[in-house]
Amino acid sequence: MGFRIHPLAASVAILFSGSAVSSSVLAQSQPAGPTVLDEVVVHGKREPAAAGFGDPSSVSNSELRMLRPATSDTATLMREVPGMQFQSAGGTSSLPVIRGLADDRNRILVDGMDLIASCPNHMNPPLSYLDPSNVTRLKVYPGIGPVSVGGDSIGGTIVANGRSLPFAAPGQGLLTTGEIGAFYRSNGDAWGGHIYAAAANESSSIAYTGSYAQSDNYKAGGDFKTTTATGRLGHTLPRDEVGSTAYKTWTQQLAVGFQGDGNLVEFKYTFVKTPEQLYPNQRMDMLDNEQQRFNLNYVGQFAWGKLDARIYHETVDHFMDFGPDKRFWYGPGRPPAGSGGDAAVNGLPCSPISGTRMVNGMMVGCATGMPMYTASKNTGGTVAADIDLSEKDLLRVGGLYQHYTLDDWWPPSGAGMWPGTFENIHDGERNRFALFGEWESQLNAQWKTLLGARYENVRMNTGDVRGYSTAPGAMGNQVTDAAAFNAQDHKHTDNNWNLSALARYTPSERVDVEFGVARKVRSPNLYELYTWSTWSMAAAMNNTVGDGNGYIGKLDLKPEVAHTIAATVDWHAADRSWEIKTTPYYSRVTDYIDAIRCTRGDSCTRNNATTANQFVVLQYANTSAELYGIDISGQMPLAQTGIGDFGLRGLIGYVHGKNRDTGDGLYNIMPFNARVALTHRIGSWDNVLEVIGVTRKDDVSEVRNELKTPGYGLTNLRLSYSWKQARIDFGVENLFDKFYYMPLGGAYVGQGTTMALNPASGNPAWGTAVPGAGRTIYAGLNLKF
């Protein structure tokens, strides 16, 4: 049989990503041909059906090319995937939300590796380490999916891959290929570029990839603040400027590979440096982050099937402090002995003279920022085998091991943060061991089934901790909290079983029906278990959701267990020229990790328990929850005219999430939303006019004092023109400069006295959501050679 793939995917098909490597290329004994610009047809064995079970959605190559110049945030390349939304964070690091479940509730594989955010604010999620220019494959398994791609998650799975190595065709000799590109975006004066170069023969290949991106703060479509103060004397922000949204990042990668006789070995070394990424919904900013990752992969094709094995190692060194839009100097009293206290609009620099006591070179009465460090190591290995039992039956088996260590510490900086180091997580450890098996069967021409089971053992532990001070009566209840935490057993072990059963029925060439049930389990992460301080200042620094509140961990958290049912009805033309998909779903989650107002310790006062218009301190807690909704997507041709071919595509999404124990809404649930795009193609032109509509957000998490947001509509325009070896993109996001608040944007704490939970100065104050960007004009240029 034959099937068509886009030319940019031709080299991707040579290799693979994760355990879902395409058999279509590896089944051939001859090396694949080079990457070319004309469409090619690859003949061979089709990809196993499991890759299509669970109603996965892939971001097409045409979508990737069109969206890359518009964003430096890889997660947002999936904006047209049904059921996908994004929890706002930094400019390159939003957190994917799949049908109401965000962040660690989804498994994210980057080049086959399970990466983990190493930060008390999750500022460095997995997809932030993959530049949009280097993405060649994005596939999403929402809800129910094969157990081979699941594990330690209750939402869905995202498979993201960078460029695969090209190899020369037989007799071609030396193959050289490359690409260079650049972009500019007006809002925030964002710019960047990338370069790719590769050389290969039939059996070996080497490639280099580099990218760079930076931006200043972006502006909203109108004023949204009552103050211009930032907490730093002499530095103000206009009322329409969204503070702490600037970023700067670059990536370098070297890859080498060898192939022959159905075997492929690939090694990638990647270095990602982010010297600055500011956060409008967090009290701290990332002021340095370095990731190194080493990824070795083997794929072999045998008479019995396919073997895929991988080992990887990742290190992360992460540093946070107050960025340029947030107050830096803290301490009671007037200068020069203090910085003005929380009531001061600006924290004034302290002086080591005139009353400020010095101990070991540190100003005791005044804090110079609040440095926070995180270091992690992540070592893992996976193995998976596809065993052809018969022409109609495939057995897939495999395993995983991951060893993850984390240290999170805050050095002293003066005032109440001294004389020692605050140990937020000390010698943290999280280890996973997994085994899975699934059976895929083609029962007849109309029925396919997939049954799978996955066992995961998750073991966690951490060492004893201490606060800045060990003196009796130290502020923030540090001594008492640390003693209470240290007196408890820190070991935590979960034995998790994941099960899935899916079936696909094809009554005709125009209709496909898929339905399934699943049991999915996720163990808590280290920050949910082991953050220990009830001090409001320390708790506010442990926040992965961007709501401005403070969070405390809980040692006896149980794993989340989701039982999910879903069905997809897919009506389409025989040639897929038009299609419409409808997917209703329902999930009930036992021991869902939600939050309650804290009832003990420094910040857990009566006011904290009852206030409805301030930031509060919460503690993680298990509860019962349910989520249900529907995703609808479709496309159709409209007309073929002398001025081009016109088409229509669209998405509709609705999800409702509720805490079944309290009746409260779940946090960060996207309200009803839709997007419709008018497409136009003529010759080398490819154009899109898109309209987005979002209704008012009224269902919120009251325990978090989550903010409601008004409904809004946006219009986006994208134009592109392609030559054989060049492409130009031009577009306008938010064409009419509409002002709006992002429903998943969190609380605005992008400027001011952010160390204090509710500062006396009133900046930042509870009640302001993070607004989206105003009109942004962008352009991109891409050249191939």
Side-chain angles (χ1 to χ4, degrees):
M1 62 174 288
F3 60 94
R4 293 186 179 272
I5 64 173
H6 188 275
L8 287 180
S11 60
V12 177
I14 297 171
L15 297 177
F16 52 83
S17 296
S19 61
V21 181
S22 172
S23 299
S24 59
V25 176
L26 292 173
Q28 304 174 77
S29 59
Q30 295 295 331
T35 303
V36 292
L37 290 172
D38 297 323
E39 188 182 56
V40 297
V41 179
V42 178
H43 296 274
K45 194 176 178 182
R46 68 174 174 80
E47 188 175 3
F53 267 109
D55 188 32
S57 297
S58 295
V59 182
S60 69
N61 286 312
S62 60
E63 288 178 279
L64 288 174
R65 289 195 303 270
M66 184 165 280
L67 291 175
R68 281 171 183 146
T71 182
S72 295
D73 187 352
T74 291
T76 61
L77 295 173
M78 297 178 285
R79 64 186 71 177
E80 295 189 30
V81 171
M84 285 293 306
Q85 299 295 337
F86 310 97
Q87 178 181 306
S88 298
T92 70
S93 56
S94 64
L95 303 172
V97 183
I98 302 178
R99 294 178 179 171
L101 297 170
D103 198 10
D104 283 353
R105 292 190 170 104
N106 302 306
R107 186 184 186 193
I108 301 176
L109 294 168
V110 175
D111 282 335
M113 298 174 287
D114 280 290
L115 305 183
I116 299 174
S118 298
C119 169
N121 303 147
H122 278 198
M123 291 181 173
N124 45 17
L127 292 177
S128 67
Y129 294 123
L130 187 60
D131 187 80
S133 65
N134 194 31
V135 176
T136 57
R137 185 188 189 206
L138 275 174
K139 178 172 277 191
V140 181
Y141 294 84
I144 302 172
V147 296
S148 56
V149 297
D152 204 26
S153 62
I154 62 170
T157 299
I158 297 171
V159 178
N161 294 99
R163 299 175 187 268
S164 296
L165 287 166
F167 289 89
Q172 183 181 5
L174 181 65
L175 165 70
T176 58
T177 184
E179 180 179 304
I180 188 170
F183 69 86
Y184 176 78
R185 296 189 288 271
S186 62
N187 198 339
D189 195 26
W191 61 274
H194 71 275
I195 186 170
Y196 165 75
N201 56 27
E202 296 178 34
S203 60
S204 60
S205 182
I206 185 169
Y208 167 80
T209 303
S211 62
Y212 177 85
Q214 75 166 50
S215 176
D216 295 330
N217 292 339
Y218 70 75
K219 291 189 175 182
D223 293 348
F224 70 99
K225 299 175 292 187
T226 59
T227 181
T228 63
T230 65
R232 299 203 182 199
L233 189 65
H235 176 49
T236 60
L237 296 178
R239 286 184 169 85
D240 65 344
E241 184 172 325
V242 183
S244 301
T245 53
Y247 60 86
K248 182 184 297 183
T249 183
W250 64 81
T251 301
Q252 297 191 75
Q253 182 180 90
L254 181 66
V256 294
F258 306 91
Q259 71 167 9
D261 297 326
N263 298 292
L264 176 67
V265 177
E266 181 185 61
F267 173 77
K268 290 182 178 180
Y269 167 74
T270 308
F271 176 77
V272 183
K273 173 79 169 179
T274 305
E276 180 184 77
Q277 187 169 193
L278 312 183
Y279 289 76
N281 59 4
Q282 295 289 357
R283 297 172 181 276
M284 305 298 290
D285 295 303
M286 178 195 293
L287 299 186
D288 192 31
N289 192 90
E290 289 187 0
Q291 186 221 41
Q292 296 187 74
R293 61 182 190 261
F294 308 81
N295 189 5
L296 178 63
N297 191 211
Y298 166 79
V299 180
Q301 191 73 31
F302 304 94
W304 51 264
K306 183 184 69 181
L307 179 66
D308 185 329
R310 180 186 307 275
I311 56 174
Y312 62 88
H313 179 69
E314 174 204 23
T315 64
V316 173
D317 291 296
H318 175 72
F319 170 64
M320 294 191 298
D321 208 329
F322 302 112
D325 297 335
K326 294 169 183 170
R327 179 173 172 175
F328 184 74
W329 294 89
Y330 283 86
R334 295 182 58 82
S339 68
D342 288 349
V345 174
N346 294 302
L348 302 177
C350 303
S351 170
I353 59 173
S354 303
T356 299
R357 188 162 60 95
M358 301 292 293
V359 176
N360 295 328
M362 186 177 301
M363 289 179 284
V364 176
C366 193
T368 54
M370 184 183 171
M372 300 170 63
Y373 290 88
T374 307
S376 69
K377 294 181 180 180
N378 178 16
T379 303
T382 62
V383 61
D386 292 356
I387 303 171
D388 297 319
L389 301 178
S390 69
E391 290 186 0
K392 295 184 178 181
D393 295 277
L394 177 68
L395 177 65
R396 187 174 292 106
V397 295
L400 168 152
Y401 178 74
Q402 182 181 43
H403 175 63
Y404 175 74
T405 61
L406 175 80
D407 280 290
D408 193 306
W409 72 100
W410 310 344
S413 61
M417 297 177 290
W418 85 292
T421 294
F422 188 102
E423 294 173 340
N424 194 38
I425 293 180
H426 179 228
D427 288 339
E429 187 173 311
R430 192 178 196 271
N431 300 318
R432 287 174 61 201
F433 170 76
L435 294 172
F436 71 84
E438 60 187 23
W439 173 34
E440 177 186 322
S441 182
Q442 177 82 51
L443 301 180
N444 53 45
Q446 293 181 312
W447 283 95
K448 296 178 182 178
T449 59
L450 183 70
L451 302 174
R454 184 184 185 105
Y455 167 76
E456 295 227 1
N457 175 269
V458 183
R459 298 186 179 188
M460 291 165 280
N461 201 356
T462 191
D464 288 346
V465 296
R466 56 155 289 168
Y468 288 110
S469 175
T470 58
M475 68 184 304
N477 216 44
Q478 299 173 69
V479 177
T480 302
D481 287 346
F485 180 85
N486 294 340
Q488 300 181 71
D489 184 7
H490 302 158
K491 292 182 180 179
H492 187 104
T493 301
D494 296 326
N495 295 291
N496 303 331
W497 282 95
N498 299 265
L499 306 170
S500 67
L502 297 105
R504 180 179 299 153
Y505 174 58
T506 307
S508 72
E509 63 179 3
R510 295 178 178 269
V511 179
D512 294 291
V513 180
E514 182 177 304
F515 51 93
V517 296
R519 181 185 195 268
K520 306 178 73 173
V521 188
R522 178 190 80 97
S523 289
N525 62 43
L526 296 182
Y527 287 103
E528 290 169 327
L529 279 179
Y530 295 134
T531 49
W532 54 272
S533 178
T534 65
W535 186 9
S536 62
M537 184 280 293
M541 303 304 161
N542 288 301
N543 181 318
T544 63
V545 295
D547 61 1
N549 297 312
Y551 284 83
I552 307 166
K554 189 176 183 182
L555 279 167
D556 60 353
L557 286 176
K558 299 177 182 178
E560 298 177 320
V561 181
H563 293 88
T564 302
I565 58 174
T568 298
V569 181
D570 181 1
W571 294 277
H572 53 265
D575 61 356
R576 289 279 177 180
S577 59
W578 64 266
E579 63 181 5
I580 181 169
K581 285 186 177 182
T582 302
T583 305
Y585 55 89
Y586 176 86
S587 289
R588 177 168 291 189
V589 187
T590 304
D591 292 319
Y592 181 90
I593 299 175
D594 205 341
I596 59 174
R597 301 283 177 94
C598 72
T599 57
R600 63 170 182 83
D602 175 74
S603 307
C604 308
T605 63
R606 181 178 179 183
N607 183 60
N608 183 79
T610 59
T611 183
N613 60 355
Q614 286 186 312
F615 297 115
V616 294
V617 176
L618 303 129
Q619 184 173 32
Y620 294 111
N622 289 118
T623 186
S624 177
E626 65 178 5
L627 300 99
Y628 58 84
I630 188 169
D631 293 322
I632 302 173
S633 62
Q635 64 175 14
M636 62 178 292
L638 291 179
Q640 294 181 329
T641 71
I643 58 172
D645 297 342
F646 292 87
L648 198 67
R649 67 172 185 255
L651 297 173
I652 296 174
Y654 170 77
V655 59
H656 177 78
K658 183 177 74 172
N659 183 316
R660 297 180 65 246
D661 292 339
T662 65
D664 197 9
L666 299 185
Y667 180 69
N668 253 358
I669 299 295
M670 187 71 176
F672 180 85
N673 61 94
R675 64 173 68 218
V676 178
L678 176 67
T679 63
H680 170 247
R681 293 178 179 175
I682 181 171
S684 298
W685 285 97
D686 189 357
N687 310 314
V688 175
L689 179 65
E690 178 183 60
V691 176
I692 300 171
V694 178
T695 61
R696 177 178 173 82
K697 181 175 181 175
D698 286 316
D699 293 331
V700 295
S701 173
E702 293 182 359
V703 71
R704 291 175 170 85
N705 291 340
E706 183 183 5
L707 300 173
K708 298 180 179 181
T709 55
Y712 60 89
L714 302 175
T715 303
N716 301 321
L717 175 66
R718 303 187 186 100
L719 310 172
S720 67
Y721 188 88
S722 299
W723 293 270
K724 186 175 182 180
Q725 292 181 294
R727 175 186 174 97
I728 293 178
D729 287 272
F730 173 82
V732 185
E733 301 272 275
N734 194 355
L735 181 64
F736 300 110
D737 203 23
K738 176 75 173 182
F739 178 82
Y740 67 101
Y741 290 109
M742 296 184 289
L744 306 188
Y748 182 69
V749 288
Q751 61 191 88
T753 305
T754 60
M755 183 190 292
L757 191 66
N758 294 289
S761 67
N763 182 28
W766 177 90
T768 302
V770 177
R775 183 187 296 115
T776 304
I777 301 171
Y778 70 86
L781 173 65
N782 207 59
L783 303 174
K784 294 178 181 290
F785 54 88

